[in-house]
Amino acid sequence: MTEESYSYLRDPAEIYRESFAAIRRETSLATLDENLIPLALRVVHACAMPEIVSDLSASPHAVSKGRAALENGAPVLTDVEMVAHGVIRNRLPNDNPVICTLTDKTVPNLAQSLGTTRSAAATTLWEPHLAGAVVAIGNAPTALFHLLEGLQSGWPKPALILGFPVGFIGAAESKAALIDSELGVPFVTLKGRRGGSAMAAAAVNAVAAAEESA
């Protein structure tokens, strides 16, 4: 039996409770719409950076519209498997499918023909599933840009876009394009370079169920 040589909290429920208590103490939530607070808490929990809340941007009623879509059975579309694997299935209200098309065998050739990344090309395969869906992008700025271009060209509109691409090239710009778009699609995004799959999955989990349960 391993000797316990470090003093640390071991009880999962207590770790969870203290984590969210610390987040609430250290995060400024006063400027957020009440419906956005559970999502903000979840995203901060995923990255341990309370300061990101000031960079959250959302259209009116975005979370409630996304939750209503999930309750009606809408799929969750993700740009990468890391986001898909981060979605807590038992939080989804209607056994919602979680779809990532990045590994589809047609994607490499499609990307080559379109002259873009595989992540962007994979969004083209979302079209049959896109109407009323919840979209979560947690990695590739090109995926968000390509989605916006597709929507401008007449693709079916999703119920909600959770835009959390990360990186030094295109991430801030793609999220600014989402905020500035006049497509009428509800969104939640994090301005700037920061983002990532953990944040995107946390946002889905918050939309799926309002309470902060694991």
Side-chain angles (χ1 to χ4, degrees):
M1 188 172 182
T2 303
E3 183 180 349
E4 295 179 356
S5 57
Y6 299 99
S7 175
Y8 57 94
L9 197 57
R10 294 173 171 81
D11 178 66
E14 186 63 12
I15 291 170
Y16 188 89
R17 189 195 68 77
E18 290 201 16
S19 292
F20 276 93
I23 291 167
R24 284 187 174 276
R25 285 195 306 271
E26 298 178 28
T27 305
S28 177
L29 302 169
T31 61
L32 294 182
D33 181 271
E34 184 177 348
N35 289 331
L36 193 59
I37 289 175
L39 185 147
L41 294 173
R42 278 262 163 197
V43 172
V44 170
H45 185 245
C47 65
M49 292 185 290
E51 68 274 14
I52 67 166
V53 167
S54 62
D55 286 329
L56 278 175
S57 179
S59 59
H61 312 296
V63 172
S64 59
K65 290 176 181 178
R67 183 170 297 122
L70 292 177
E71 289 172 351
N72 288 329
V76 178
L77 306 178
T78 73
D79 62 327
V80 289
E81 292 285 351
M82 287 180 68
V83 178
H85 287 300
V87 174
I88 302 172
R89 298 309 198 270
N90 64 14
R91 289 179 70 93
L92 296 172
N94 201 353
D95 197 25
N96 308 75
V98 180
I99 300 170
C100 178
T101 56
L102 184 60
T103 58
D104 188 285
K105 64 182 180 181
T106 65
V107 166
N109 287 339
L110 184 58
Q112 188 172 16
S113 67
L114 293 173
T116 190
T117 66
R118 286 185 295 170
S119 296
T123 67
T124 304
L125 304 181
W126 290 354
E127 195 169 354
H129 314 285
L130 199 52
V134 171
V135 173
I137 295 176
N139 182 61
T142 53
L144 182 52
F145 273 129
H146 198 71
L147 172 63
L148 294 175
E149 290 169 342
L151 293 173
Q152 290 168 355
S153 70
W155 286 5
K157 291 183 179 181
L160 174 65
I161 297 173
L162 300 169
F164 290 84
V166 61
F168 291 90
I169 306 299
E173 294 82 356
S174 66
K175 289 179 278 190
L178 174 62
I179 294 168
D180 294 339
S181 70
E182 298 180 354
L183 295 166
V185 178
F187 71 87
V188 180
T189 192
L190 182 69
K191 292 181 285 186
R193 293 174 171 178
R194 291 182 290 188
S197 296
M199 292 190 199
V204 174
N205 295 332
V207 171
E211 74 279 4
E212 295 151 20
S213 60

